[in-house]
Amino acid sequence: MTRKQKRLSVIAGGLAFLGAATGLTFYALGQKASYFYMPADLTTASLQPGQRIRLGGLVEKGTLQRGQGTTVAFSVTDKQKDVKVTYTGILPDLFREGQGVITEGSFGPDGVFVADSVLAKHDENYMPKEVADSLKAKGVWEESKSD
């Protein structure tokens, strides 16, 4: 094999490796390109029973109920539809009604979303980007403008 043939075979092998890595990445992502579901998106989503998802939106005002111990119940809304959520654990300090939230978990047999993780907004000017973008697209949420 000449030097030119060796160089071409190394380049071809590198391109084949990159192509295979790219193909595997896209295959792994599949239908999971959506980072989370908004409540209105769940009507068209084809979820398997017990499938873990992320649910994002705003904590609906007036729905926060504290149960026994660290169990809480609340609703996540996108102003079009709302989903009842239960969570057992310590909520983030910044969790409150009317704020952006992303919960992780799955739907129980009764249709209530059972969360095992709750992510709340960072500070008063922050909402998770995915939640803010989705709410803006639906015309529900606007960024505050400073004068």
Side-chain angles (χ1 to χ4, degrees), residues 54-65:
R54 289 184 174 183
L55 173 67
L58 299 173
V59 178
E60 190 171 11
K61 292 185 186 233
T63 63
L64 183 61
Q65 300 171 346

Side-chain angles (χ1 to χ4, degrees), residues 6-141:
K6 285 181 185 177
R7 190 178 309 133
L8 285 175
S9 64
V10 167
I11 290 172
L15 289 174
F17 175 77
L18 287 175
T22 302
L24 286 173
T25 301
F26 283 121
Y27 177 74
L29 290 176
Q31 297 293 326
K32 304 297 181 196
S34 176
Y35 192 63
F36 70 94
Y37 293 95
M38 296 293 285
D41 298 338
L42 294 173
T43 56
T44 59
S46 58
L47 300 175
Q48 303 299 322
Q51 179 180 347
R52 288 186 49 79
I53 64 165
R54 289 184 174 183
L55 173 67
L58 299 173
V59 178
E60 190 171 11
K61 292 185 186 233
T63 63
L64 183 61
Q65 300 171 346
R66 299 199 182 267
Q68 297 228 343
T70 58
T71 301
V72 294
F74 56 93
S75 289
V76 173
T77 185
D78 59 2
K79 303 292 186 184
Q80 294 177 358
K81 189 173 182 215
D82 60 283
V83 174
K84 293 189 184 316
V85 178
T86 60
Y87 174 68
T88 301
I90 299 172
L91 288 170
D93 290 338
L94 299 172
F95 178 89
R96 58 184 57 90
E97 294 177 340
Q99 299 297 330
V101 67
I102 294 179
T103 59
E104 294 181 61
S106 60
F107 281 97
D110 56 356
V112 174
F113 188 78
V114 180
D116 53 36
S117 172
V118 174
L119 307 171
K121 71 179 195 117
H122 184 264
D123 67 16
E124 65 189 43
N125 297 319
Y126 177 79
M127 178 179 292
K129 181 178 178 357
E130 297 86 6
V131 173
D133 290 346
S134 188
L135 290 172
K136 284 180 198 173
K138 294 179 184 196
V140 174
W141 186 72

